[in-house]
């Protein structure tokens, strides 16, 4: 067992490749490096909200995150090893918990539920999309469809 593995205060291994090949022009100048596919832990910076999770969580369900972290696409990290995702981080913890557990408590607020639905759609987390849509259907009363007479009045 290495000293690093037994020392809980030891820093986590960096998430950068030994050979940063295939970087976009200018990416090296910004300190961005590709994520190695064999890294077990991932540090995510989602719109300034910091999250630490495993590749297993990110690749366990079919989603955009699985596509990002399964090695099919290059993921760039900053000099500190943080993978940058240009989204609001407000609901990302809920997205991660859904990927971990397959269910999460949904927000009470209809507005927050709509925001979470938007993020679930962005990350293509189908089960969470369905849960949010069902909850919104229950919480938001359906307005009746306009009748032809109402349409005539509104047009005239």
């Amino acid at each position: 067992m290495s000293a690093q593995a037994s020392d809980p205060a030891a820093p986590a291994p960096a998430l950068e490749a030994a050979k940063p090949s295939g970087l976009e022009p200018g990416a090296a100048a910004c300190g961005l490096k590709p994520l190695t596919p064999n890294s077990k832990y991932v540090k995510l910076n989602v719109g300034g909200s910091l999250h630490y999770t495993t590749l297993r969580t990110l690749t366990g369900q079919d989603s955009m995150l699985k596509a990002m972290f399964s090695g099919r696409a290059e993921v760039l990290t900053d000099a500190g090893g943080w993978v940058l995702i240009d989204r609001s981080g407000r609901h990302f913890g809920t997205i991660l918990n859904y990927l971990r557990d397959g269910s999460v408590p949904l927000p009470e607020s209809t507005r927050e539920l709509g925001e979470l639905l938007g993020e679930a759609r962005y990350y293509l987390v189908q089960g969470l999309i369905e849960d949010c849509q069902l909850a919104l259907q229950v919480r938001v009363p359906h307005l009746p469809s306009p009748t032809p007479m109402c349409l005539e009045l509104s047009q005239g």
Side-chain angles (χ1 to χ4, degrees), residues 63-136:
S63 70
M64 187 188 81
L65 292 165
K66 180 176 184 174
M68 285 176 67
F69 292 96
S70 64
R72 288 184 274 172
E74 185 176 66
V75 176
L76 299 178
T77 63
D78 68 10
W82 292 90
V83 175
L84 305 174
I85 299 177
D86 189 18
R87 291 293 290 182
S88 169
R90 181 170 183 182
H91 299 287
F92 192 74
T94 303
I95 300 284
L96 278 180
N97 284 335
Y98 186 88
L99 293 174
R100 290 177 181 121
D101 303 329
S103 67
V104 289
L106 297 175
E108 293 293 323
S109 158
T110 302
R111 178 178 172 216
E112 287 188 28
L113 186 56
E115 291 172 359
L116 179 58
L117 174 58
E119 292 303 298
R121 284 180 174 153
Y122 177 80
Y123 292 109
L124 303 173
V125 182
Q126 191 59 42
L128 184 55
I129 292 169
E130 292 167 4
D131 290 352
C132 290
Q133 287 174 332
L134 181 61
L136 280 171

Side-chain angles (χ1 to χ4, degrees), residues 22-76:
L23 288 176
E24 296 176 21
C30 296
L32 299 177
K33 300 176 178 94
L35 181 72
T36 59
N38 60 356
S39 299
K40 186 175 179 180
Y41 298 100
V42 181
K43 300 187 303 184
L44 301 167
N45 179 343
V46 184
S49 177
L50 305 179
H51 301 271
Y52 193 65
T53 191
T54 64
L55 279 176
R56 173 176 274 171
T57 295
L58 296 172
T59 60
Q61 293 188 31
D62 204 17
S63 70
M64 187 188 81
L65 292 165
K66 180 176 184 174
M68 285 176 67
F69 292 96
S70 64
R72 288 184 274 172
E74 185 176 66
V75 176
L76 299 178

